[in-house]
Structure formats: C-alpha cells, structure tokens
Amino acid sequence: MEISKGYTVHLFEGLYCYLRRFLFRVISVGAVPYHIAFIMDGNRRFAKKMNLAEGEGHKAGFSALLSILRYCYELGVKYVTVYAFSIDNFKRKPKDVQNLMELMRQKIEELLHQESIINEYGVRLHFIGNISMLSEPVKVAVDKAMRVTAHNNHRVLVICVAYTSRDEMVHAVEESCKEKWSHLTQEPSKVVKNDKLNGLFENKIEKHSVLPSSCYCSCSCSLVKLVDVERNMYMAVAPDPDILIRTSGEARLSNFLLWQAGTCPLYAPSALWPEIGLRHLVFAVLNFQKYYLYLESKKEKKHKHKLF
Amino acid sequence: MLSLRLPIPIENTLITPPPKSNNKNTYNFSLSPYLHSSYSCNQANRFLTVTNVAIHNDGNSVGSADTVAEPFPEELNAEPLPKHVAVIMDGNGRWAKMKNLMPSAGHQAGAEALKNMVKLCASWGIKVLTVFAFSTDNWVRPKVEVDFLMSLFEKTINSEIDIFQREGIRISVIGDSSRLPKSLLRMIEYAEESTKENSKLQLIVAVSYSGKYDVAQACKSVAKKVKDGILDLEEINEDIIEKELETNCTEFPNPDLLIRTSGELRVSNFLLWQLAYTELYFNRALWPDFGKEEFVEALSSFQQRKRRFGGR
C-alpha cells in the first residue's frame, strides 16, 4: 500500500514537472529575462505565522530559494541575484545575527553537495558585498564555494551578503580613485605637472553632461571614468537585472541594487518568501514580456533620435 | 514542492486595489485582487472610494487670494506623515490621448495637478515635495513636445513665484542644466534666489535629471576633493557622497514616500541613491487625475507600512 502510494506521488511529481517544463516552453516564445533579482523578505513572519521557531523560517526560506532557482534555470534565466543579508541586518540582536551566520555557513556547505542544484545546472556562485564583515567560518565557506564553482559557466547565482547598494557605490568610487592614483604614482613621467590625478569623472553614458574644459587632463589615463566605477562595483559580475521581485508585500528597495535596478520593472507579491511559488514567477515574467515590448520601442526611438 | 494552486490568487501589492464605487467617473479595472491571508484586515479598509478629480482650469492656483488651506483629512493620523514625498508624474500623454487631445493639453492638465499637490503638501505639513518633471531620457521626445514643456516650465514658474513668496514655498531645481534654454535657466535662477528664505514647503523640481547622473556628478565632486587634498581616500563614505548629491539643497534629502502614477511599476532612474529606504506607492490613475483622494490613499498606505530599516 505504501509502495503504491509512493509510486503515485512520484507519478504526480513527474507529471507536474513535465507540465511545468511545457509551460516554460510556451512562455519562452516571448522574451525571457536574462537576470532576475529577489529580495527574500518574510522568513521571520512565516515562522511566526506557522508557530515555528525563528530559525525554521529561514530554513523554509532556503527550500523556497532552491525551488525558485530550479524554476528560473529551467525557464532559461541565466543570472539570479538574491539579497541574503544586508549590512543593516547587523543591527539585529547579536544572537540572531550569530544564528543567521551559522545557518548561512551550513547552507553554503549544502549547496556544494554533489546532488545539489548547483552541480545539476553548472551554476557559478558569486558572494558579493563587504565580505570582511562576515564571521570567519562564513568567510571560509564563501571562499570555498566561489573557488569550487569558479569553473561553472552555464548559470550564475549572485548572493548578496553584508551588502548595501550605497556601500557598493562608495567602495567602487574608492577603488577607482585608488586604481588611478597607483597608476599615476607608478608612471610619474606621464603625469602633467600640477595636474596629477584630476580624479574627475567623464560621464560617458550621459552624453549631455557638461564637464568644464579645465577638467580634462592631457593624459587621458588619469581620468576616472564612469566605466571605471561600474567596473569596480560588486555587481559587475552580472548584467543589470530585468526584473526585481520582493516578497511579503513590502514595497521598497531597502538599499538593494539601487544603481542597477533603476529602470527594471518591480514586482511585490504579498506572499512571504517561503510561500513564493511558480505562479509568482510566471506572473512576473509575463509582466516583463509586456514591458519588454515597450522598452524595445523606446530603444528604437532613442536610436532614431541619435541618427537625426 | 507543488506550488501551483488554482484558482490563482495573484496579488501584486505595488498596484493599488481597484476602488469599490458606483460613481460613473471611476475607472473600471479588470484586475480584482484576492486578499492574501497574510494581510491584516486593515488592508480591506484601504479600498477607499476614488473619484476622478475633474481638472478645472479656472485660474485658481496655489495660494490665490481666495484659496483656503486644505483641512487635514480625517482618514489620516497626524503621525507618521512623510517629511519628504517624491512623485513621478507619469501619464500626461496617455491622459490627453484618452480624451482625444494634443499631448500639450495633457501636460497643461499635469501642471494643474501639480499645483494642487503643492497646495495639499503645504497645507498638511509635508516639508519637501520632489517631482520628476523631465528625465534625461525624455530628450528623445519630438522637438515640438520638448519645446512646449520647456516653455510650460518657464510660464508656470513665472506665474507661481508670487504665490510661493506669499505661501512660504521655496523652489529648487535639480538636474543637468546644460541643455535647458537660457530663458528658462534665468527664470530658475530668479525663482530660486527669491524664494530661498522660505521654509514652509520646499518644492524640488527635477528637470533634465537622472539618478545615475546625480550619483556620477557626486562621485566627480568627491574625486576632485581627493585630488585637491581636501579629502583623504580613507574618508570617503556614504555621508560624503550624499552631501555632494543634488538633493543637498534640502534638510531631508531622502524621500519617505515615492508615488508613481499611471500604473507603471518602476522608478525609471529617478533618485536612485536617495530611494534606498523609501516606501514605494504605485497608483493606476494618470497624473492629471491624481487628486486629493488619491494622495490621501497614498498617505494612508504609507501610514500602514512597517519600516524596519533592516533591524527588527
């Protein structure tokens, strides 16, 4: 009886998997987002709602993450970014932070198991943020995970830990200035007197930005360009997201991907993160496809405007 | 895990629910959301009746001689109220198209809606109102429309300066001014100078603005200070960059609430740095139809948000 029950469950799961893949084939007729970003909000509220210990909420959240990753990669999404831990979260009680660090370490180890989704889909892991703020065991686990998956090139999972967008921008500016400064001090002959490290930005993206003529150094290598800043951003490992999804119904960005998500559509289902399901992803992608057509027509207009 | 449940109750909390109203003037939305069980029952009370605000261009503008300050609505609590409200005034073109009018009529109606919004903010104690009037991306629009918008900005500022003076409203303009017509630049300079001592409400108008441009020019200023020896590399932090952003013209540079009209769910390169902890509110109404009821609904939504800033 139990064997036939197990067989029935297995059969239904197989059927569901088949139907899901068929659904994704249909959706893929339209544009498929290249990169989806998630703010995984609502784990603690889920635990409270289900009368569980708080740690159980985060564990349920991790299971939900694995499901969503599977759906995304099956659909053909190449990059997935998740907001796992913000610098602001260090403000929580020390015991909570410690528990979260330990959970993070455990789950990173789990991700590296042979049969995990990471190996199934050839996923490269990137942990981005102010990694020095993490506890030592987590840092070790992070380094190992990135090293072990460095050769994977089919899919990418970017996990933001000890991350805020503003910290990312500050870090990028610092690094760009340091780069240019060390470049100049290594090649003094190229430096024009009284003009070393103009450190001024040439805004290549915004063509109509005006820079006074005095800003331009005769040695172009000393100019810190916007591309330098973007190159030094933590998120330089991935293109800008096509959709940003935040669960639990809160409608705010919480210092996540402020630079990168300036023009991408936002979606805030009221479901808590452990409750997120296939239907939310499908809805978000269908909305994206609607917006994609508008975006393409806008790009065409911009291109025509440049020609004339 | 089996997660597909039928019927599919998809609720995107970014879109305000459709109004329950018998009023013929309301829009009929096809989306009828199911309340998710995780919502508190307070959410049901947010389904306020919304009526279209008819745009009457009867010459009344903010603070005209016979205009009285708007009384504070009973539906709202005195606290918390956002100190800084930002608005993406989207939908003028679609509004005009719906009424078979030229786009210029839509922008004109949008200007009236803005005047109404300024009046409401000044009456209800909001300290800063930032509006996204013209993006750097909007330069690709037809020249006729762009020229009309530039002259509309100039005319509106000119007609409202005296009223701003009387009502204690300070006007500031942010954005890349290099492409603006000289006459508009002169008008902006005059308006900023003559209202700079006012303190009741600060109206910040973003013209030829983009969030990326703002951050980029702030980074430029910071790098120049490092070059000039005013600042050490190690001293660069978030506060330093924030002080160089164009929103440094106000005491409250970060909006508490962002409203975007016309149903589009994105921030479109507006105030990127400043929006880190801003509550986002999206309304399907087109900007010229965004009036007092819609604003009250937005504020009511803000008052029900639980802002944790990453902590507990």
Side-chain angles (χ1 to χ4, degrees), chain A residues 102-115:
Chain A
E102 176 54 26
L103 184 70
M104 223 184 294
R105 188 198 61 76
Q106 279 174 15
K107 294 306 173 189
I108 292 171
E109 297 286 335
E110 256 183 63
L111 276 177
L112 297 180
H113 286 162
Q114 195 60 34
E115 60 275 3

PDB file of all heavy atoms in Angstrom, chain A residues 102-115:
ATOM      1  N   GLU A 102      25.581  31.197  11.211  1.00  0.00           N
ATOM      2  CA  GLU A 102      25.764  29.749  11.282  1.00  0.00           C
ATOM      3  C   GLU A 102      24.896  29.057  10.237  1.00  0.00           C
ATOM      4  O   GLU A 102      25.332  28.136   9.543  1.00  0.00           O
ATOM      5  CB  GLU A 102      25.425  29.266  12.700  1.00  0.00           C
ATOM      6  CG  GLU A 102      25.490  27.759  12.898  1.00  0.00           C
ATOM      7  CD  GLU A 102      26.813  27.139  12.486  1.00  0.00           C
ATOM      8  OE1 GLU A 102      27.856  27.828  12.501  1.00  0.00           O
ATOM      9  OE2 GLU A 102      26.789  25.958  12.080  1.00  0.00           O
ATOM     10  N   LEU A 103      23.666  29.535  10.097  1.00  0.00           N
ATOM     11  CA  LEU A 103      22.756  28.971   9.088  1.00  0.00           C
ATOM     12  C   LEU A 103      23.325  29.165   7.688  1.00  0.00           C
ATOM     13  O   LEU A 103      23.296  28.256   6.851  1.00  0.00           O
ATOM     14  CB  LEU A 103      21.383  29.647   9.208  1.00  0.00           C
ATOM     15  CG  LEU A 103      20.299  29.103   8.279  1.00  0.00           C
ATOM     16  CD1 LEU A 103      19.886  27.707   8.692  1.00  0.00           C
ATOM     17  CD2 LEU A 103      19.087  30.027   8.299  1.00  0.00           C
ATOM     18  N   MET A 104      23.888  30.359   7.466  1.00  0.00           N
ATOM     19  CA  MET A 104      24.467  30.666   6.156  1.00  0.00           C
ATOM     20  C   MET A 104      25.595  29.687   5.856  1.00  0.00           C
ATOM     21  O   MET A 104      25.690  29.144   4.745  1.00  0.00           O
ATOM     22  CB  MET A 104      25.018  32.099   6.176  1.00  0.00           C
ATOM     23  CG  MET A 104      24.689  32.881   4.929  1.00  0.00           C
ATOM     24  SD  MET A 104      25.418  34.517   4.899  1.00  0.00           S
ATOM     25  CE  MET A 104      24.613  35.370   6.193  1.00  0.00           C
ATOM     26  N   ARG A 105      26.440  29.447   6.838  1.00  0.00           N
ATOM     27  CA  ARG A 105      27.573  28.542   6.639  1.00  0.00           C
ATOM     28  C   ARG A 105      27.081  27.153   6.281  1.00  0.00           C
ATOM     29  O   ARG A 105      27.569  26.525   5.354  1.00  0.00           O
ATOM     30  CB  ARG A 105      28.443  28.510   7.903  1.00  0.00           C
ATOM     31  CG  ARG A 105      29.757  27.752   7.755  1.00  0.00           C
ATOM     32  CD  ARG A 105      30.342  27.391   9.118  1.00  0.00           C
ATOM     33  NE  ARG A 105      29.477  26.533   9.893  1.00  0.00           N
ATOM     34  CZ  ARG A 105      29.314  25.238   9.682  1.00  0.00           C
ATOM     35  NH1 ARG A 105      29.971  24.628   8.724  1.00  0.00           N
ATOM     36  NH2 ARG A 105      28.494  24.533  10.461  1.00  0.00           N
ATOM     37  N   GLN A 106      26.063  26.693   7.033  1.00  0.00           N
ATOM     38  CA  GLN A 106      25.521  25.348   6.792  1.00  0.00           C
ATOM     39  C   GLN A 106      24.957  25.232   5.382  1.00  0.00           C
ATOM     40  O   GLN A 106      25.192  24.255   4.662  1.00  0.00           O
ATOM     41  CB  GLN A 106      24.374  25.057   7.759  1.00  0.00           C
ATOM     42  CG  GLN A 106      24.781  24.623   9.130  1.00  0.00           C
ATOM     43  CD  GLN A 106      23.565  24.514  10.039  1.00  0.00           C
ATOM     44  OE1 GLN A 106      22.417  24.506   9.574  1.00  0.00           O
ATOM     45  NE2 GLN A 106      23.793  24.476  11.324  1.00  0.00           N
ATOM     46  N   LYS A 107      24.210  26.251   4.996  1.00  0.00           N
ATOM     47  CA  LYS A 107      23.526  26.178   3.706  1.00  0.00           C
ATOM     48  C   LYS A 107      24.510  26.296   2.540  1.00  0.00           C
ATOM     49  O   LYS A 107      24.297  25.698   1.483  1.00  0.00           O
ATOM     50  CB  LYS A 107      22.446  27.276   3.601  1.00  0.00           C
ATOM     51  CG  LYS A 107      21.292  27.093   4.588  1.00  0.00           C
ATOM     52  CD  LYS A 107      20.663  25.728   4.485  1.00  0.00           C
ATOM     53  CE  LYS A 107      19.635  25.482   5.574  1.00  0.00           C
ATOM     54  NZ  LYS A 107      19.169  24.083   5.607  1.00  0.00           N
ATOM     55  N   ILE A 108      25.573  27.064   2.751  1.00  0.00           N
ATOM     56  CA  ILE A 108      26.595  27.144   1.700  1.00  0.00           C
ATOM     57  C   ILE A 108      27.219  25.765   1.513  1.00  0.00           C
ATOM     58  O   ILE A 108      27.428  25.313   0.375  1.00  0.00           O
ATOM     59  CB  ILE A 108      27.674  28.199   2.050  1.00  0.00           C
ATOM     60  CG1 ILE A 108      27.073  29.601   2.007  1.00  0.00           C
ATOM     61  CG2 ILE A 108      28.850  28.125   1.079  1.00  0.00           C
ATOM     62  CD1 ILE A 108      27.993  30.689   2.557  1.00  0.00           C
ATOM     63  N   GLU A 109      27.489  25.066   2.605  1.00  0.00           N
ATOM     64  CA  GLU A 109      28.042  23.698   2.519  1.00  0.00           C
ATOM     65  C   GLU A 109      27.065  22.780   1.775  1.00  0.00           C
ATOM     66  O   GLU A 109      27.466  21.985   0.930  1.00  0.00           O
ATOM     67  CB  GLU A 109      28.281  23.117   3.924  1.00  0.00           C
ATOM     68  CG  GLU A 109      29.298  23.867   4.758  1.00  0.00           C
ATOM     69  CD  GLU A 109      30.725  23.618   4.297  1.00  0.00           C
ATOM     70  OE1 GLU A 109      30.990  22.564   3.677  1.00  0.00           O
ATOM     71  OE2 GLU A 109      31.572  24.498   4.517  1.00  0.00           O
ATOM     72  N   GLU A 110      25.759  22.944   2.086  1.00  0.00           N
ATOM     73  CA  GLU A 110      24.744  22.104   1.436  1.00  0.00           C
ATOM     74  C   GLU A 110      24.718  22.337  -0.070  1.00  0.00           C
ATOM     75  O   GLU A 110      24.541  21.410  -0.862  1.00  0.00           O
ATOM     76  CB  GLU A 110      23.359  22.464   1.993  1.00  0.00           C
ATOM     77  CG  GLU A 110      22.807  21.458   2.974  1.00  0.00           C
ATOM     78  CD  GLU A 110      21.410  21.820   3.450  1.00  0.00           C
ATOM     79  OE1 GLU A 110      20.502  21.850   2.584  1.00  0.00           O
ATOM     80  OE2 GLU A 110      21.237  22.066   4.654  1.00  0.00           O
ATOM     81  N   LEU A 111      24.897  23.600  -0.448  1.00  0.00           N
ATOM     82  CA  LEU A 111      24.843  23.941  -1.871  1.00  0.00           C
ATOM     83  C   LEU A 111      25.945  23.238  -2.665  1.00  0.00           C
ATOM     84  O   LEU A 111      25.820  23.008  -3.866  1.00  0.00           O
ATOM     85  CB  LEU A 111      25.014  25.461  -2.061  1.00  0.00           C
ATOM     86  CG  LEU A 111      23.776  26.340  -1.911  1.00  0.00           C
ATOM     87  CD1 LEU A 111      24.150  27.812  -2.055  1.00  0.00           C
ATOM     88  CD2 LEU A 111      22.705  25.994  -2.937  1.00  0.00           C
ATOM     89  N   LEU A 112      27.029  22.902  -1.965  1.00  0.00           N
ATOM     90  CA  LEU A 112      28.169  22.335  -2.679  1.00  0.00           C
ATOM     91  C   LEU A 112      28.103  20.807  -2.763  1.00  0.00           C
ATOM     92  O   LEU A 112      28.993  20.186  -3.339  1.00  0.00           O
ATOM     93  CB  LEU A 112      29.474  22.753  -1.992  1.00  0.00           C
ATOM     94  CG  LEU A 112      29.748  24.253  -1.977  1.00  0.00           C
ATOM     95  CD1 LEU A 112      31.059  24.556  -1.263  1.00  0.00           C
ATOM     96  CD2 LEU A 112      29.800  24.806  -3.391  1.00  0.00           C
ATOM     97  N   HIS A 113      27.027  20.223  -2.207  1.00  0.00           N
ATOM     98  CA  HIS A 113      26.906  18.766  -2.289  1.00  0.00           C
ATOM     99  C   HIS A 113      26.773  18.336  -3.737  1.00  0.00           C
ATOM    100  O   HIS A 113      26.266  19.073  -4.579  1.00  0.00           O
ATOM    101  CB  HIS A 113      25.671  18.281  -1.506  1.00  0.00           C
ATOM    102  CG  HIS A 113      25.879  18.330  -0.040  1.00  0.00           C
ATOM    103  ND1 HIS A 113      24.853  18.297   0.856  1.00  0.00           N
ATOM    104  CD2 HIS A 113      27.013  18.433   0.700  1.00  0.00           C
ATOM    105  CE1 HIS A 113      25.318  18.369   2.074  1.00  0.00           C
ATOM    106  NE2 HIS A 113      26.628  18.449   2.007  1.00  0.00           N
ATOM    107  N   GLN A 114      27.183  17.128  -3.971  1.00  0.00           N
ATOM    108  CA  GLN A 114      27.207  16.597  -5.338  1.00  0.00           C
ATOM    109  C   GLN A 114      25.861  16.690  -6.037  1.00  0.00           C
ATOM    110  O   GLN A 114      25.760  17.065  -7.197  1.00  0.00           O
ATOM    111  CB  GLN A 114      27.671  15.133  -5.281  1.00  0.00           C
ATOM    112  CG  GLN A 114      28.087  14.550  -6.610  1.00  0.00           C
ATOM    113  CD  GLN A 114      29.240  15.316  -7.228  1.00  0.00           C
ATOM    114  OE1 GLN A 114      30.116  15.836  -6.540  1.00  0.00           O
ATOM    115  NE2 GLN A 114      29.221  15.432  -8.539  1.00  0.00           N
ATOM    116  N   GLU A 115      24.801  16.325  -5.277  1.00  0.00           N
ATOM    117  CA  GLU A 115      23.493  16.246  -5.928  1.00  0.00           C
ATOM    118  C   GLU A 115      22.712  17.557  -5.883  1.00  0.00           C
ATOM    119  O   GLU A 115      21.550  17.614  -6.185  1.00  0.00           O
ATOM    120  CB  GLU A 115      22.642  15.121  -5.300  1.00  0.00           C
ATOM    121  CG  GLU A 115      22.371  15.300  -3.807  1.00  0.00           C
ATOM    122  CD  GLU A 115      23.493  14.756  -2.938  1.00  0.00           C
ATOM    123  OE1 GLU A 115      24.507  14.287  -3.486  1.00  0.00           O
ATOM    124  OE2 GLU A 115      23.368  14.820  -1.704  1.00  0.00           O
TER     125      GLU A 115
END
